[in-house]
Amino acid sequence: MADISNFIIIGFVLITVITLWSFFKASKNKKIIIGIILWMVVLSILGISGFYKNANAIPPRLLFLLGPGIFFVLIVFFTRKGRRFSDNLNLKWLTLLHTIRIPVEIILFYIFVEGLIPDLMTFEGLNFDILSGISAPIIYYLVFIKKWMGNKGLLIWNFICLGLLINILTIAVLSAQTPLQMMAFDQPNIGVTYFPFIWLPAVIVPIVLFSHLASIRQLLSSRK
């Protein structure tokens, strides 16, 4: 494992725990959280063994980090039970959950300093996702506390922040050290192949993505 400071590792573990706790507050579903934790254990075993570090593997090992979580998210919205689950999530907590993107971006910056990801993936580069985290508590306050902003404003915010998430996901994939790499050749994205940072694309990103999609579905349904 690369020489990563304990501060960064502990900080990221705490971020992951807070993300799970926030999602539990939104769902109140212990089975889902237990399932995610079990998936994290599998990821950890593979990550520590170095499975995700093979840069020449076909298909790229990064797909085994991003793929399962995103596939599960999509499956939820294509099943009746899954749609019912997403419709019962707490919209307030789904909104507040995105505040976690502030410390995530700070950790990404420190991982960049360690030489494990390109500057393109930080707020000093082309990653503007920290704006989603900064605006989340503000939007929550305006929509749910003061009620100065309605569902339409919340819907627009979710679409914008979803776009910011897709932006950094695209950069992360294209800068990863795989046969598909198209940018950041001087300092590729290898940080997400190390434990515990494998939890970012495999756990945190799918939760954030699902939170946006569930919120958008609820808000569009309320307009109808």
Side-chain angles (χ1 to χ4, degrees):
M1 182 173 179
D3 186 20
I4 305 172
S5 71
N6 290 331
F7 167 76
I8 299 175
I9 294 173
I10 294 172
F12 184 76
V13 171
L14 288 175
I15 288 171
T16 307
V17 171
I18 294 172
T19 303
L20 289 178
W21 178 79
S22 299
F23 190 63
F24 172 72
K25 296 294 288 186
S27 66
K28 299 295 184 183
N29 192 313
K30 292 182 180 180
K31 292 182 179 179
I32 292 291
I33 301 302
I34 291 173
I36 295 174
I37 292 173
L38 292 176
W39 172 232
M40 289 171 62
V41 171
V42 174
L43 289 167
S44 302
I45 294 172
L46 292 174
I48 293 171
S49 71
F51 174 80
Y52 299 108
K53 296 178 184 177
N54 188 339
N56 299 313
I58 300 293
R61 295 286 168 83
L62 184 64
L63 292 179
F64 294 102
L65 281 176
L66 273 173
I70 294 179
F71 178 74
F72 175 77
V73 169
L74 295 177
I75 286 297
V76 167
F77 287 95
F78 281 103
T79 61
R80 183 178 300 176
K81 188 175 181 180
R83 290 192 295 268
R84 187 165 59 247
F85 167 74
S86 65
D87 289 343
N88 288 325
L89 294 174
N90 187 300
L91 192 57
K92 293 181 179 180
W93 275 103
L94 288 179
T95 304
L96 278 177
L97 182 147
H98 297 289
T99 307
I100 201 66
R101 289 153 86 165
I102 300 174
V104 165
E105 297 307 319
I106 294 173
I107 290 293
L108 279 178
F109 178 78
Y110 279 106
I111 298 176
F112 156 68
V113 172
E114 297 282 354
L116 298 179
I117 64 172
D119 60 346
L120 294 174
M121 289 180 60
T122 73
F123 48 73
E124 286 193 342
L126 299 177
N127 182 3
F128 309 107
D129 201 55
I130 196 170
L131 297 176
S132 302
I134 294 172
S135 59
I138 298 174
I139 293 296
Y140 174 84
Y141 180 77
L142 294 177
V143 174
F144 299 107
I145 304 299
K146 286 297 185 179
K147 302 188 185 302
W148 291 344
M149 182 183 292
N151 286 352
K152 183 178 180 180
L154 183 58
L155 180 63
I156 293 172
W157 177 81
N158 269 283
F159 272 118
I160 292 173
C161 294
L162 178 60
L164 294 178
L165 177 65
I166 294 173
N167 172 65
I168 180 54
L169 268 178
T170 303
I171 295 171
V173 170
L174 295 181
S175 62
Q177 202 172 38
T178 71
L180 302 176
Q181 185 177 1
M182 297 180 64
M183 56 177 63
F185 291 96
D186 56 331
Q187 186 170 319
N189 170 24
I190 61 173
V192 296
T193 65
Y194 288 90
F195 173 81
F197 308 118
I198 51 174
W199 293 339
L200 177 57
V203 178
I204 295 179
V205 167
I207 288 177
V208 170
L209 173 64
F210 180 78
S211 298
H212 275 313
L213 295 179
S215 297
I216 290 170
R217 175 178 166 80
Q218 285 192 30
L219 292 166
L220 288 177
S221 297
S222 68
R223 295 188 69 181
K224 293 180 182 179

